[in-house]
Amino acid sequence: MTRSPFLRALAGETLDTPPIWLMRQAGRYLPEYREVRARAGSFVDLCLAPELAAEVTLQPIRRYGFDAAILFADILMVPYGLGQPLRFETGRGPVLEPIRDRAAVPGFDPDAFHGAVGPIYDTVARVRAALGPETALIGFAGSPWTVASYMVEGGSSRDFAALKLWAFRDPDGFGALMETIVEATIAYLDRQIRAGAQAVKLFDSWAGAAPETLFERWVVQPTAAIVRRLRGMHPDVPIIGFAKGAGALTRGYGSATGVTALTLDSSIPLAMACALQAERPVQGNLDPIALLAGGPALESETDRILEALGGGPFVFNLGHGIVPQTPPEHVAALVARVRG
Ligand SMILES: Cc1c2[nH]c(c1CCC(=O)O)Cc1[nH]c(c(CCC(=O)O)c1C)Cc1[nH]c(c(CCC(=O)O)c1C)Cc1[nH]c(c(C)c1CCC(=O)O)C2
């Protein structure tokens, strides 16, 4: 089977037209998503309903012909699978019962975990069966540091004080939590790959909250452990790392973790992106607000990125997720611009 453009770029090929997909390409900016969402019950219910989750995964592929689909689920399905109560409140985001000491750390029980999140593997299989060979399917999980941030803070956070206090004061106890998350994440991604995911992405959305010492110990090392073990099981499946907000620490992140490719957020200057691209394929990094703006600003921002990174192994993407207010026509205009 000829590989899709997306997988070719991740294998290090430079393509005449870079493949494109967008973070949060399935979501509230699409009327057809809002329609399914309204009849799904809760957001967690939607993530666990294979027919509906497959449908919303495919919606942006039908509309725009993106080069990759990303499984519709959430990074917080790992805490859910570990038995931590989870709900999403409108206007507030995720709400979890915080875990803040070693006594509260759950162990990893594979049967209970896969029993709870098993429908997600069905979604993967359904989506893979519905896609043509030219469209790749990406599986994903959060990186342990970011997943831990929600488990410890009990939701989104501004300063990550509870997370960092625990990591600084009690590295052994915090390490027990990280160990559980690492084991669950490996098992979860292994099952996504076996169900049909052809690449996986590790989202470390809050990597930028960690100072250098915590970054090395709790962002890099757990990610490296996941990469090493998954690669042993699935040597040909590319693994994309996304250490959002890591700034200058992004330089060492690729080689220290062993990820195949890097997603770059919009704060990474293109000169630095080019230097990183000399070592591994890169993906990014249009500002989602430029996509919201549309018009000449969107065109010039897009062209700068294409000029800087189009001459090497590259996947066009945003530097973070599409914002819900984005007009769907702006996405169509972006795809047309990238495909020339
Ligand atoms: C940090 C994080 C989360 N989830 C995710 C991350 C990492 C990427 C990032 O930094 O954004 C990853 C994620 N979340 C979702 C996907 C699905 C696939 C896709 O990208 O299209 C993916 C890959 C769906 C979702 N996950 C969520 C929605 C919106 C919920 C809804 O439709 O009601 C979607 C489509 C909810 C969610 N999920 C999360 C939060 C903080 C929220 C609330 C904020 C918000 O509402 O945007 C946690």
Side-chain angles (χ1 to χ4, degrees), residues 320-334:
H320 200 201
I322 299 182
V323 300
Q325 312 87 302
T326 304
E329 317 78 82
H330 291 192
V331 177
L334 170 64

Side-chain angles (χ1 to χ4, degrees), residues 16-279:
D16 292 339
T17 301
I20 175 171
W21 70 280
L22 302 179
M23 287 189 265
R24 288 280 172 100
Q25 63 191 18
R28 285 162 294 188
Y29 76 107
L30 287 179
E32 59 268 37
Y33 171 83
R34 296 196 296 270
E35 194 270 311
V36 174
R37 177 78 179 77
R39 58 187 164 90
S42 75
F43 178 72
V44 173
D45 291 341
L46 174 56
C47 292
L48 294 173
E51 196 184 334
L52 297 181
E55 166 60 22
V56 296
T57 304
L58 293 166
Q59 286 171 345
I61 308 304
R62 287 192 205 112
R63 210 187 241 262
Y64 304 110
F66 286 124
D67 293 283
I70 182 161
L71 165 68
F72 189 87
D74 197 87
I75 66 164
L76 299 179
M77 296 314 286
V78 164
Y80 174 86
L82 290 169
Q84 190 174 17
L86 165 70
R87 62 179 201 280
F88 287 80
E89 282 180 12
T90 321
R92 189 171 162 202
V95 181
L96 304 91
E97 245 165 67
I99 293 174
R100 294 196 178 162
D101 57 47
R102 188 173 198 151
V105 172
F108 173 54
D109 171 346
D111 291 338
F113 181 84
H114 295 307
V117 303
I120 293 173
Y121 313 138
D122 290 351
T123 305
V124 173
R126 280 169 188 257
V127 173
R128 189 51 267 170
L131 291 171
E134 70 289 352
T135 312
L137 175 56
I138 306 169
F140 75 92
S143 274
W145 170 257
T146 288
V147 173
S149 80
Y150 290 97
M151 295 179 80
V152 174
E153 299 286 345
S156 301
S157 173
R158 194 161 297 185
D159 57 10
F160 302 94
L163 174 75
K164 294 199 267 184
L165 268 176
W166 192 6
F168 276 127
R169 282 183 175 160
D170 173 25
D172 289 348
F174 183 70
L177 174 64
M178 294 297 270
E179 184 61 33
T180 292
I181 301 171
V182 166
E183 291 307 314
T185 304
I186 292 166
Y188 182 55
L189 292 175
D190 170 50
R191 293 286 283 263
Q192 290 184 29
I193 293 167
R194 288 198 272 145
Q198 295 153 297
V200 292
K201 177 161 175 176
L202 288 165
F203 285 90
D204 221 335
S205 306
W206 307 117
E212 189 173 11
T213 45
L214 297 185
F215 186 85
E216 167 52 32
R217 179 67 192 90
W218 300 120
V219 173
V220 168
Q221 288 184 30
T223 303
I226 294 169
V227 170
R228 194 173 341 106
R229 298 256 301 279
L230 271 184
R231 185 145 301 135
M233 296 186 253
H234 305 284
D236 300 327
V237 174
I239 303 170
I240 305 162
F242 181 29
K244 183 172 174 286
L249 293 173
T250 309
R251 287 203 187 88
Y253 175 85
S255 54
T257 59
V259 293
T260 314
L262 293 177
T263 289
L264 303 176
D265 70 50
S266 308
S267 76
I268 300 290
L270 290 177
M272 179 172 165
C274 275
L276 294 165
Q277 191 186 36
E279 281 160 31

